[in-house]
Amino acid sequence: MEPYYQAISRLPGFVHQSLCSVPSHLADQVQEIRLRTGRPVVFTTKEGILPAVEWTTAHSIPPLTHPQVKQCFYELCDRSVHTHQQQLAQGFFTIPGGHRVGVAGSFCWAQDEIKGIQSITSLNIRVARVIQIPLPNALKSQLQQPFRGMLLIGPPGSGKTTLLRSLVSHLCARGKRVCVVDEREEIWPCSEEGFQYLPPLHCDVLSGVQKNRGIQNALRSMGPDIIVCDEIAGHSEWQQIKAACSGGIEFLCTIHGTSVQDAEQRLECGKGELSHYFGLCVLLPREMARGRIQEVVCL
């Protein structure tokens, strides 16, 4: 099934029926589906943002009311909000297939932590597609050398996770034991029926576990050469990575930013400290271009 149709499969009929009428040759271009109170449904594509009705056979898709957005949220959660509570505290939840649903609205706080959501005003469904791409030549030449940590730096939507998967496949093909800590369940989505797309040989995946705990579990039980983490959030996760590196483990990670300096600021470290744990930083351009890199920086 085209991932777009899987991503909208839980939506209630008043919006699902219209969105289902998008032809398959257009559906594969949809990157995000945005549902907002009082606004029409819009798509994000590599060409920009456009009203969803322009790609459907529906005559119109009326702006969603506040109760309708709330109903979309509950249906996407499979009417079991509590099972997603840990992810919702970070402003998102993941549905089958690895599609991430971003949530905006009124949040409940207690002791400097998000404890719940009072009112839902916006939902952003990011359509997940597991794509393998050829590695750029600039990376291939660097990977001929012994692997010594790599950090992929790019803004949201720049293709970090897509490139990450291809790098994992390349490293596994070289016989490396790789353990992926897939906190958001987006890299290789897994359900009770197993993987939607099989990870490469020599690759183990820890799904739905926080990175700090996942790194510890990987070290204790999986015996990896390389641990993979998507979207390092900040200083605490950085400390866990540094502790693991002291045991001889290398890391392949992604982080939001547009420069090495952005990564240093997010991790609260200097370039000298960063270079102790990563041999390469790969910068991705702001525009979504799967696999295209802007620069490879040797640290």
Side-chain angles (χ1 to χ4, degrees), residues 224-236:
D225 300 312
I226 300 168
I227 294 178
V228 175
C229 297
D230 203 8
E231 297 188 15
I232 306 175
H235 189 66
S236 63

Side-chain angles (χ1 to χ4, degrees), residues 5 41 58 102 117 121 149 186 188 201 215 243 253 270 273 281 285:
Y5 300 114
V41 180
I117 302 177
T121 56
E186 295 177 320
W188 272 285
L201 189 65
I215 291 170
C253 303
E273 183 180 355
C281 285

Side-chain angles (χ1 to χ4, degrees), residues 1-17:
M1 179 189 294
E2 158 58 38
Y4 165 83
Y5 300 114
Q6 183 187 42
I8 65 172
S9 62
R10 284 186 173 182
L11 288 172
F14 59 82
V15 64
H16 178 265
Q17 186 173 356

Side-chain angles (χ1 to χ4, degrees), residues 88 94 100 209:
L88 282 169
T94 306
R100 190 197 305 182
V209 60

Side-chain angles (χ1 to χ4, degrees), residues 238-292:
W238 174 232
Q239 295 303 311
Q240 188 67 51
I241 288 171
K242 290 197 299 181
C245 285
S246 65
I249 303 296
E250 301 294 343
F251 275 80
L252 170 59
C253 303
T254 71
I255 192 169
H256 286 313
T258 58
S259 66
V260 175
Q261 290 72 29
D262 286 347
E264 293 170 6
Q265 184 175 9
R266 183 175 289 270
L267 301 179
E268 301 177 28
C269 70
K271 189 172 183 178
E273 183 180 355
L274 196 67
S275 66
H276 187 72
Y277 301 98
F278 294 107
L280 291 176
C281 285
V282 179
L283 304 181
L284 284 77
R286 184 172 297 277
E287 300 79 15
M288 176 61 177
R290 291 167 182 160
R292 187 164 71 86

Side-chain angles (χ1 to χ4, degrees), residues 212-228:
N212 287 346
R213 180 60 61 85
I215 291 170
Q216 293 177 18
N217 290 354
L219 290 171
R220 289 170 181 165
S221 59
M222 303 312 298
D225 300 312
I226 300 168
I227 294 178
V228 175

